[in-house]
Amino acid sequence: MTLFDPIPGDQPSPLDRLHRALDERDAAEAVLLARMIDADADAAAALLPVLDDALAAHPDALYAFVRARLAADAEDPASGEWLRRLREAAHAALQVAIQEGDADTLLEWLQLVAREPVQYGLSEVLHAGITHAGTRACQEPKLAQGVLMLAIKRDPAAAQKMLANEEITACLSPDQAVPLLGLMLKERRDELAVGFVASSLTLETAADVLAGAFVRSGRTPLDLISLTAQLTTAGFMTAQLSLDVYLRVLEALAWENDAMPITSQVSRLIQNPALHVNGVVPWKLLETATAFHDELCARGAARRIQMQIETSRDDETLVDLLEQLVSHTGWSQQTSQAIETWWRGFASTHTSAQLGRLQKLMEPHRDLAALRTISRSILSVRRMFGKRTMREFVDAVSMTQEMLQTLSEAYDPPARRTVTFDAAALRDELGRNFAEVPPEYVRLLANQLKALASLITDMADERTKTSLIRRSDDVDHQLATGDLAPHSAVDALKWIAGYLEGAQDAEA
């Protein structure tokens, strides 16, 4: 007769009832029979051997029987002995599942034991079950994932041991790694997470796994930054990988306000020209910075966009990008100033012809007025020097000053006196000097003198004028010190002289 053979008779005996309770997992009958065992020594003597046999042959049936007893009478003094039987049945059932059951059956048993109340004292049984299940996990990815996820929550020591087994971690796919790592982070098993990432992930899959796991974990952006720092210290995380992870997380979080710490990290990283980033990202970053008026993010985004502009080979595209950048950063004085500083350096690398073309393309855009002023200033200096060397320019200025000084001394009246000239005497003297000069040179000189006189008049008219509240010496001083920007050639002469004399503050 086997354990489950029926017993003849009209009324089932306690033994018969016990067989059926085990066979049918009848919780109510199990409770009645267990109480009978607790209350009657003769019943115990007759029935307990059946339970002992069930431990070896059908531990799962015994587990269900004892579990029903404990659920009904957990506070009964006799429960201690039933707890012992529950642990034995759980251990035996897990061994059967490990040796003979499929992955689903084994995982179900492990999860069943893990969910039992703490007072049942099954932690050691669970630890042993997880440890032994690890021997099968090397060949079964589904089992490896399930056992690891259970261990992460309930048995970190076992999880650490399994994660140290390269055969187990090697069988996990990236899709399996995401929920595993996500659970580690959710349970704040950061030490496990760092070890798992550093030993199990490849750089090719790490960005997707890390970002996906972090989003699943529900941790804060600051937690992600801390985790990234730990992985960097561990020698796994590169700057490019950090940037890739941050961007994936930001996309998943829709660049929301709470993610601003991550956004700030991205704005810092993308300023490194060696790091690759999709060209759309800086603009998205700038959009976010504008929405939240974040100066640091705006400057980081602007710097990366400037790199895009610097590599542009088409002038129209360059100006379009420049106009978008300036128009999107007008709210930030610091960023606008940084853009102007950058433009001074970048514009100076262009030829005068290139700058001239850019000036024309920039003219219709009001937002680019400040940058056009910078370009115009660079062109003005270049036009002033022409193709002369510095020595040649100094000599030309000296000659011009000497000639104008001579003209002034010859014809301008002394202070507070009116001087007139005799026309006949002037003609006679000029005639003697030009008597042997070829007519074409005389005509050329006549034209040049007229042009020079007109030029001097125009330059004088364009200079910054004095007024009732601003004396001439005040204007000269302000131009020399750089407190007043030049608005004409005469102003420029005074301003440049002050610069050369060291009278100007570099920030003016």
Side-chain angles (χ1 to χ4, degrees):
M1 178 180 293
T2 67
L3 180 64
F4 299 104
D5 285 339
I7 298 176
D10 295 335
Q11 298 295 326
S13 67
L15 190 60
D16 186 26
R17 290 167 59 192
L18 178 58
H19 284 304
R20 290 184 180 179
L22 290 169
D23 183 30
E24 298 175 5
R25 307 294 197 275
D26 188 331
E29 186 73 328
V31 172
L32 294 175
L33 290 168
R35 289 172 178 171
M36 186 183 298
I37 293 171
D38 292 338
D40 189 331
D42 291 338
L47 299 179
L48 286 178
V50 176
L51 297 182
D52 293 338
D53 291 342
L55 177 63
H58 301 282
D60 55 335
L62 177 60
Y63 186 89
F65 182 94
V66 178
R67 181 66 177 78
R69 158 63 179 80
L70 289 170
D73 299 314
E75 303 301 325
D76 190 284
S79 294
E81 185 62 21
W82 290 110
L83 283 173
R84 179 187 65 77
R85 292 192 181 96
L86 184 72
R87 297 184 192 111
E88 290 177 347
H91 178 75
L94 278 174
Q95 292 307 307
V96 172
I98 291 169
Q99 296 169 10
E100 303 175 9
D102 57 22
D104 289 335
T105 300
L106 176 52
L107 288 174
E108 286 174 4
W109 265 103
L110 287 170
Q111 291 165 357
L112 173 65
V113 173
R115 287 195 297 266
E116 295 290 30
V118 176
Q119 61 266 31
Y120 286 2
L122 296 179
S123 58
E124 292 185 5
V125 175
L126 178 64
H127 177 77
I130 290 174
T131 301
H132 293 155
T135 60
R136 280 182 51 181
C138 299
Q139 292 79 35
E140 300 181 61
K142 180 180 179 181
L143 180 61
Q145 179 186 4
V147 174
L148 273 170
M149 293 191 75
L150 184 61
I152 290 166
K153 294 183 69 173
R154 299 300 302 273
D155 195 345
Q160 187 171 22
K161 185 176 181 180
M162 290 183 68
L163 291 172
N165 187 329
E166 293 184 0
E167 292 185 34
I168 294 177
T169 55
C171 77
L172 296 170
S173 69
D175 288 340
Q176 291 174 313
V178 170
L180 271 174
L181 182 58
L183 182 61
M184 294 180 207
L185 296 175
K186 181 179 180 180
E187 296 293 321
R188 297 192 173 272
R189 313 288 192 195
D190 289 6
E191 185 176 348
L192 281 180
V194 171
F196 174 66
V197 171
S199 64
S200 305
L201 300 186
T202 64
L203 290 176
E204 292 74 19
T205 62
D208 289 329
V209 172
L210 280 165
F214 179 78
V215 173
R216 290 172 66 109
S217 73
R219 298 280 291 271
T220 69
L222 291 177
D223 288 336
L224 175 59
I225 295 170
S226 175
L227 176 66
T228 303
Q230 293 179 61
L231 288 169
T232 301
T233 302
F236 178 80
M237 210 75 171
T238 64
Q240 181 67 62
L241 180 55
S242 298
L243 178 59
D244 293 342
V245 171
Y246 288 148
L247 288 173
R248 283 167 170 77
V249 171
L250 282 176
E251 286 296 326
L253 298 179
W255 296 74
E256 60 188 19
N257 190 19
D258 291 342
M260 282 305 294
I262 301 176
T263 307
S264 297
Q265 291 296 310
V266 170
S267 70
R268 178 181 60 82
L269 287 169
I270 66 171
Q271 296 182 58
N272 183 349
L275 299 185
H276 172 74
V277 64
N278 187 294
V280 176
V281 169
W283 295 102
K284 181 62 180 177
L285 188 64
L286 185 56
E287 178 184 332
T288 303
T290 301
F292 299 111
H293 278 210
D294 189 303
E295 294 275 0
L296 291 178
C297 287
R299 293 186 66 175
R303 182 68 195 101
R304 189 72 190 206
I305 293 170
Q306 289 162 10
M307 295 179 200
Q308 294 180 5
I309 294 173
E310 288 170 356
T311 58
S312 176
R313 294 293 177 263
D314 178 74
D315 288 345
E316 291 186 0
T317 301
L318 185 154
V319 172
D320 286 342
L321 291 173
L322 198 60
E323 195 278 333
Q324 292 182 57
L325 173 61
V326 173
S327 64
H328 281 80
T329 54
W331 58 271
S332 170
Q333 183 178 2
Q334 292 183 7
T335 306
S336 296
Q337 290 175 346
I339 292 172
E340 291 175 10
T341 299
W342 159 76
W343 180 248
R344 290 186 186 99
F346 180 55
S348 67
T349 64
H350 290 69
T351 65
S352 296
Q354 289 173 322
L355 276 182
R357 289 195 299 271
L358 290 175
Q359 282 290 88
K360 291 181 180 179
L361 291 171
M362 292 164 65
E363 188 172 358
H365 303 285
R366 288 186 178 182
D367 291 333
L368 299 182
L371 302 191
R372 289 187 69 246
T373 297
I374 292 171
S375 303
R376 183 169 56 249
S377 300
I378 295 171
L379 285 170
S380 296
V381 173
R382 291 179 180 180
R383 287 167 180 163
M384 180 177 67
F385 291 140
K387 295 182 179 180
R388 303 180 188 89
T389 65
M390 281 296 98
R391 183 60 181 270
E392 290 171 341
F393 177 74
V394 171
D395 290 343
V397 170
S398 177
M399 182 180 296
T400 301
Q401 191 274 336
E402 182 179 352
M403 185 197 69
L404 291 175
Q405 182 67 38
T406 301
L407 281 171
S408 178
E409 291 175 353
Y411 296 102
D412 287 339
R416 299 184 180 182
R417 293 180 59 186
T418 301
V419 176
T420 59
F421 299 95
D422 182 77
L426 288 175
R427 292 189 191 98
D428 290 344
E429 189 65 21
L430 289 171
R432 282 191 291 274
N433 279 278
F434 286 99
E436 299 181 0
V437 177
E440 61 270 23
Y441 282 95
V442 173
R443 287 193 297 272
L444 175 63
L445 178 60
N447 290 333
Q448 289 176 334
L449 289 175
K450 286 190 295 183
L452 179 61
S454 178
L455 180 60
I456 292 172
T457 301
D458 291 342
M459 290 174 66
D461 289 341
E462 292 296 329
R463 77 189 191 283
T464 299
K465 308 294 194 305
T466 59
S467 65
L468 292 176
I469 60 174
R470 187 164 60 182
R471 299 176 304 177
S472 176
D473 55 349
D474 290 337
V475 172
D476 292 348
H477 176 75
Q478 290 176 343
L479 286 168
T481 58
D483 294 333
L484 180 65
H487 292 86
S488 67
V490 173
D491 288 353
L493 294 177
K494 298 174 182 179
W495 192 95
I496 293 171
Y499 166 75
L500 296 175
E501 289 172 347
Q504 295 181 13
D505 186 339
E507 298 298 325

